[in-house]
Amino acid sequence: MTVLSDFVVVSNRLPVDRTDDENEPWRRSPGGLVAALDPVMRSNSGAWVGWPGQPDVALEPFEFDGLRLVPVELSSDDVQLYYEGFSNDTIWPLYHDVIATPTYHRTWWDAYVKVNERFAAAASEHAAEGATVWVHDYQLQLVPKMLRELRPDLTIGYFHHIPFPAYGIYAQLPWRKQVLEGLLGADVIGFQRVADAGNFARAVRRQLGYDTKAGSIAVPTEDGVRTAIARAYPISIDASVYDDLARRPEIRARAAEIRESLGNPKAILLGVDRLDYTKGIGHRLKAYGELLNDGRLSVHDVILVQVASPSRERVQTYMELRDEIELAVGRINGDSDELGFSAIQYLHHSYPREEMVALYLAADVMLVTALRDGMNLVAKEYVASRVDGGGALVLSEFTGAADELTQAIKVNPHDIAGLKDAIMQAIEMPEKEGNRRMRALRRRVRENDVARWSQRFLTDLDAIRRARA
Ligand code: GDG
């Protein structure tokens, strides 16, 4: 018999990863979303609907670590067409301001519709009468409408983790009306930034002609009008986890060891990103390479550590990006390295969270130079880890985080001269000023943590549910 839940989360991936260990076949995937939703999940006998991460694997719902997990099966074709195709090669580049050219294929769209139907059906099957369902992200934009049609009794929320582009860009999408209608199936549609919510409302006005006012959208229904809310709910991290880790003696010792192993340079610069063209890794390398070339920096004094975690490796644009970045790293190192001194340590791996925190603590300057980014949690993790009050954050104004982290050194990553000056400013920042800025940054990240984010979203959703009851 299907167990029904009062609270259902739907996301492309389940919050678990398969292991090779037969006795413990699953482990929790890292990430703040599970932690943020954990209390709500437990107090509402919650369920999580998502893909387990491997193609062609059919699994029954199961319990893991107190969570009820409902796996949705994806075939290899689904992964190729719905996930790597429409999600990551159409929507992702389009919504990130066409930094890469989006590809439009009708077969990808058809697969996207079909897979969204499957997710909606699974959520509908596991939701109790009058339940709340929270759908996440750009892979599932059609689910809110599909779910409402199946289950008008539900209260539906949707959170969009990536940017929503300006109308002139969004209008390229051949299925622009269907996607807006899909999203408007939700009662609350959450975005990272006020600007994203504004772009969405504008697209709704232009494409569908609905009235929108101060974040409220009048959606026509069979028997009148329903109000949907489109608003900004900037996501965050579980700041206390990073704070605790950064205070652990073994992690502090590891940070010192990292500095030592890099030759105790005057300044360590750090970049941590999925290897993605939205993250501006190439722009960062260019600026740094030029600083070395100009003689404003020397490999004797400074090193850049770039963690580029593997991502979407079967998508062509990502393969090309990897080649491009690795060529640039090789060139800069070839031009600037001296025996015993290296300009860039390039690490194409993923690391455990403990190691990431040690790196954050070891780095004097964190470089976040994204060309477009919904939020950028790395920036917040760096700040939360700096329990010593040290470190400087160089932050692209094109990240959601820039709206909140106003005491960072802001940059336009397209302006290489400006980026170079910002890197120098961060390296040379007087300690007192650095500490003052870091204090303000830390206050902001502590105040708006991921628990507050989910609470704000769910409070608005609950208000709608109660108004309807
Ligand atoms: C999307 C949006 C939005 C990276 N390498 C390693 C590692 N990471 C972790 C980071 C951070 C996460 O991955 C990346 O989060 P970001 O926010 O920086 O970027 P996206 O992956 O693009 O996330 C983004 C986010 O959704 C949330 O809404 O902020 O704008 O694009 O937590 O630490 N973690 C570990 N090892 C690694 O090597 N452990």
Side-chain angles (χ1 to χ4, degrees), residues 92 161 192 274 279 309 350-351 373-377 381:
W92 180 270
H161 290 253
Q192 301 278 27
R274 275 188 310 97
K279 303 292 182 182
S309 42
S350 279
Y351 289 96
D373 213 334
M375 177 54 61
N376 195 288
L377 296 180
E381 291 167 3

Side-chain angles (χ1 to χ4, degrees), residues 99-173:
I99 298 167
T101 307
T103 307
Y104 302 113
H105 283 311
R106 281 161 286 180
T107 47
W108 290 1
W109 165 254
D110 293 343
Y112 186 77
V113 174
K114 196 181 71 180
V115 171
N116 271 245
E117 276 167 356
R118 204 175 304 150
F119 275 85
S124 158
E125 193 188 331
H126 289 82
E129 177 71 23
T132 295
V133 179
W134 192 358
V135 183
H136 286 266
D137 227 359
Y138 64 102
Q139 301 93 349
L140 302 176
Q141 295 174 97
L142 308 179
V143 169
K145 177 173 186 232
M146 292 170 171
L147 197 50
R148 183 170 294 280
E149 281 169 3
L150 291 167
R151 294 286 304 274
D153 59 299
L154 300 176
T155 304
I156 303 170
Y158 170 89
F159 186 75
H160 194 74
H161 290 253
I162 67 172
F164 195 91
Y167 180 72
I169 290 176
Y170 180 74
Q172 280 190 16
L173 186 66

Side-chain angles (χ1 to χ4, degrees), residues 316-333:
Q316 184 62 28
T317 332
Y318 287 76
M319 297 178 198
E320 287 163 15
L321 174 77
R322 182 172 175 194
D323 288 347
E324 214 174 277
I325 296 297
E326 293 181 357
L327 185 69
V329 169
R331 284 225 172 112
I332 294 171
N333 278 345

Side-chain angles (χ1 to χ4, degrees), residues 30-33 92 96 137-138 159-163 192 235-237 242 272-276 278-279 307-312 347 349-356 360 368 372-379 381 399-401 453:
L33 199 54
W92 180 270
H96 286 89
D137 227 359
Y138 64 102
F159 186 75
H160 194 74
H161 290 253
I162 67 172
Q192 301 278 27
I235 200 169
S236 193
I237 56 167
Y242 288 86
V272 172
D273 313 83
R274 275 188 310 97
L275 190 43
D276 195 294
T278 59
K279 303 292 182 182
V307 177
S309 42
S311 183
R312 305 179 189 169
L347 307 158
H349 311 287
S350 279
Y351 289 96
R353 187 144 69 173
E354 288 73 11
E355 184 73 354
M356 303 296 291
Y360 290 148
V368 177
R372 185 50 89 196
D373 213 334
M375 177 54 61
N376 195 288
L377 296 180
V378 167
E381 291 167 3
T399 62
W453 165 76

